[in-house]
Amino acid sequence: MIEQSQRRVPVPVVAAVILLLGAALPASMMFASGPSMALGLIGVLLLLALAYGLWRGSGRARFWTTVFSTVSVGYGVVTITKAGALGLLQIVGAAVIVGLLLVPASSRRWFHDLPAEG
């Protein structure tokens, strides 16, 4: 039997990272407009940092991704009357990220059972 020195990233976490990276693409379109260029850059960097943290198994990244995604779902539901197809897609994507990080047991273990370093 071959022993692995590193644990494999669970499928739900991989899916959440892919969704975050996919969300960074529309956020990068904000660079085209003038005043919101800095805001778009901050948004893209935040999404990339959260995706990297999730990949590495950071509990803080899981917490903040869950908080931002939950706020995004809440904001989307409040403004649902103004939401177009893209707005509905963002609501669903944020809800899926929360579900992927909180529900599957393999995802929860990825963040809680990290081996002690030292």
Side-chain angles (χ1 to χ4, degrees):
M1 182 190 261
I2 299 173
E3 289 192 36
Q4 294 179 341
S5 60
Q6 290 184 326
R7 297 183 310 156
R8 297 181 80 176
V9 181
V11 173
V13 175
V14 172
V17 167
I18 290 171
L19 285 173
L20 281 174
L21 293 176
L25 294 175
S28 66
M29 290 183 211
M30 296 176 86
F31 291 139
S33 59
S36 65
M37 183 186 250
L39 185 62
L41 178 62
I42 291 170
V44 169
L45 292 176
L46 177 66
L47 289 172
L48 293 175
L50 289 173
Y52 179 74
L54 290 176
W55 189 261
R56 301 280 301 168
S58 168
R60 287 184 186 151
R62 178 181 180 225
F63 172 78
W64 286 111
T65 302
T66 303
V67 167
F68 289 138
S69 294
T70 304
V71 168
S72 178
V73 169
Y75 178 75
V77 168
V78 168
T79 61
I80 193 99
T81 58
K82 300 176 201 168
L86 184 59
L88 293 175
L89 184 62
Q90 289 174 341
I91 293 170
V92 170
V96 167
I97 289 173
V98 170
L100 287 170
L101 293 178
L102 296 180
V103 176
S106 62
S107 175
R108 292 192 310 270
R109 280 193 305 274
W110 175 250
F111 296 103
H112 294 296
D113 294 338
L114 293 176
E117 293 181 21

